[in-house]
Amino acid sequence: MSDLKKIKDEFISKLKSKLNLSEVNQIKSDLFGKNGLVSSEFKKIGTIADTERKKFASELNVIKDELQGLINLKINEIENEEIKEKLQKEKIDITLPERPFVRGKIHPVSQTIDEISSIFSEIGFSVEEGPDVESEYNNFTALNTPDNHPARDMHDTFYLDDKKEKLLRTHTSPVQIRTMLKDKPPFKIIAPGRTYRSDSDQTHAPMFHQVEGLHIDKEINMGHLKGCLNYFIKEFFELDKIKMRFRPSHFPFTEPSAEVDIGYEMKDGKIVIGEGDQWLEILGCGMVHPNVLRNVKVDPTKFQGYAFGMGIDRLAMLKYGINDLRAFFDCDYRWLNHFGFDPLDVPTNYRGLSR
Ligand code: PHE
């Protein structure tokens, strides 16, 4: 038997047995590699007598094609087999019953922030954000809050360094500063977010939420502030009428300043908002102090406006009948399941906020 025939028979029978991919690759290199059997036969062509050469070469080519074809076929076969096995292993049984899963709920504070944003966006406010870690300048100095102001005291403020240059913001008012520094008037924004004060009891948490409002334009006055807050309170509590009063107050960054109370009464041990002869303080506000405008390079003879700030947790407690602030931050799933909201029910003014 000629060498060629021997090679052919030997490898055809090898390729018929069960092989894996690396074994086939080994055969491939045994035959066609640099010193492979078939490659070596090709090198012999030059040494073969003229009369035999043509026959030898054509025979060799046929054998080469045949073996190469078989190898490709084998590789295909192995790959198909692998895919089949994989599909078999990863089969999903769609007839299996669904696994019981726990559905998440939206936290009442998140829900309240969404409601507030929706209400204000309806009358042209956009939403701004600022960082929890603030500079002393943005939190106090730029807001016309003097060095001896009690809010600066360690009892109230969490400072992050000995030099008292960095702190956890004590209110959302520094976002007023950030907003006005980065843009030109007019400004019409709200800024919800986390705030921190060194305080903790049933109605105070060291971390709580506020929303700031700021409207600066050419002819904004206290009347606009009243109209805006009245609209907000009515929308938020989903009431047609609400009793509300402005009480003179003091903030370093507004002049004049006021605190806003809403009327309520107790019925069967529950707070009913809107009517009654009891008053509940819900926010601070006022006309932005000219010094604040000057600090952010806004000319107070051309532009003026109002700002307000309110506690979001407090509003959520009132609206949803939650009486302990600390429960907000306990992460108790049972509590959240009871007071939380459906994630698919996004609050909008026209579809209803909380229903
Ligand atoms: N920043 C004030 C506070 O935390 C609230 C406020 C904001 C008052 C804006 C007036 C204007 O109590």
Side-chain angles (χ1 to χ4, degrees):
M1 195 165 34
S2 76
D3 280 356
L4 291 183
K5 183 125 177 43
K6 237 167 59 199
I7 295 173
K8 183 179 147 186
D9 290 348
E10 183 190 336
F11 280 88
I12 287 181
S13 79
K14 263 193 187 175
L15 284 166
K16 275 189 183 148
S17 57
K18 194 167 164 45
L19 298 167
N20 63 30
L21 205 57
S22 74
E23 286 165 333
V24 179
N25 280 330
Q26 185 57 50
I27 291 179
K28 202 171 163 184
S29 93
D30 287 348
L31 288 170
F32 303 108
K34 207 157 149 243
N35 297 315
L37 290 170
V38 173
S39 316
S40 309
E41 292 299 318
F42 270 102
K43 281 181 203 149
K44 282 186 198 159
I45 291 178
T47 65
I48 287 177
D50 288 357
T51 46
E52 293 291 313
R53 188 181 299 143
K54 210 169 164 192
K55 191 171 156 256
F56 179 82
S58 77
E59 217 177 298
L60 183 56
N61 268 321
V62 171
I63 288 179
K64 184 193 92 178
D65 288 346
E66 194 176 342
L67 287 170
Q68 238 163 18
L70 277 174
I71 288 175
N72 290 343
L73 224 87
K74 197 73 186 174
I75 291 178
N76 253 336
E77 217 173 78
I78 294 172
E79 282 175 350
N80 283 342
E81 199 56 42
E82 273 177 7
I83 292 174
K84 234 163 77 190
E85 253 175 53
K86 216 168 162 188
L87 285 175
Q88 211 62 122
K89 259 199 236 144
E90 290 174 5
K91 207 160 94 182
I92 294 169
D93 185 353
I94 55 166
T95 63
L96 280 174
E98 70 173 271
R99 230 178 282 157
F101 67 97
V102 186
R103 195 154 164 185
K105 287 275 182 102
I106 300 292
H107 194 286
V109 171
S110 306
Q111 167 81 13
T112 304
I113 291 177
D114 287 348
E115 291 178 21
I116 293 172
S117 305
S118 168
I119 295 169
F120 281 108
S121 71
E122 202 78 357
I123 53 168
F125 284 81
S126 55
V127 177
E128 284 288 334
E129 279 180 322
D132 294 7
V133 174
E134 255 303 354
S135 64
E136 171 280 329
Y137 180 79
N138 286 346
N139 195 82
F140 292 129
T141 308
L143 286 160
N144 199 37
T145 307
D147 269 344
N148 61 356
H149 195 279
R152 288 194 179 233
D153 199 90
M154 297 277 260
H155 289 296
D156 279 309
T157 305
F158 292 113
Y159 288 97
L160 300 175
D161 57 357
D162 291 340
K163 283 195 257 159
K164 295 188 171 179
E165 281 169 358
K166 287 259 175 294
L167 46 78
L168 292 176
R169 65 177 180 188
T170 58
H171 50 178
T172 40
S173 302
V175 186
Q176 288 185 35
I177 302 299
R178 286 176 175 273
T179 306
M180 293 195 282
L181 279 176
K182 77 169 192 238
D183 256 321
K184 294 221 167 332
F187 302 105
K188 198 173 180 187
I189 58 119
I190 57 161
R194 293 197 179 106
T195 46
Y196 305 83
R197 279 181 211 172
S198 188
D199 213 351
S200 183
D201 59 36
Q202 192 177 345
T203 53
H204 295 91
M207 189 281 291
F208 56 104
H209 299 82
Q210 277 194 342
V211 59
E212 193 79 8
L214 174 75
H215 188 185
I216 304 285
D217 208 332
K218 285 206 167 117
E219 277 167 10
I220 299 296
N221 59 43
M222 203 82 183
H224 294 110
L225 170 62
K226 279 182 124 173
C228 168
L229 290 176
N230 192 264
Y231 154 80
F232 168 72
I233 305 286
K234 279 199 311 216
E235 289 288 316
F236 180 74
F237 288 106
E238 301 174 56
L239 295 168
D240 295 332
K241 247 176 62 194
I242 195 133
K243 256 172 86 173
M244 178 174 170
R245 75 175 180 195
F246 281 66
R247 233 176 339 98
S249 183
H250 172 76
F251 299 101
F253 34 90
T254 45
E255 181 58 37
S257 305
E259 273 172 327
V260 174
D261 301 336
I262 52 173
Y264 77 96
E265 62 187 354
M266 295 301 287
K267 255 196 195 145
D268 308 324
K270 279 200 179 138
I271 278 192
V272 183
I273 302 282
E275 295 298 313
D277 48 15
Q278 315 254 61
W279 294 102
L280 201 72
E281 182 203 318
I282 56 155
L283 63 90
C285 62
M287 299 303 291
V288 177
H289 197 293
N291 285 350
V292 174
L293 295 175
R294 274 190 280 271
N295 286 340
V296 292
K297 312 272 175 297
V298 171
D299 182 351
T301 62
K302 293 200 181 101
F303 289 95
Q304 56 183 334
Y306 60 80
F308 56 83
M310 50 194 159
I312 293 174
D313 316 271
R314 187 84 185 288
L315 286 174
M317 286 169 80
L318 287 172
K319 182 162 177 180
Y320 295 115
I322 299 163
N323 50 28
D324 189 344
L325 177 69
R326 289 169 295 196
F328 275 139
F329 312 118
D330 274 350
C331 291
D332 182 338
Y333 182 72
R334 290 160 306 175
W335 181 87
L336 188 58
N337 204 29
H338 179 75
F339 284 108
F341 292 83
D342 189 327
L344 298 176
D345 242 351
V346 182
T348 57
N349 295 43
Y350 53 89
R351 248 191 36 218
L353 293 170
S354 60
R355 271 162 266 178

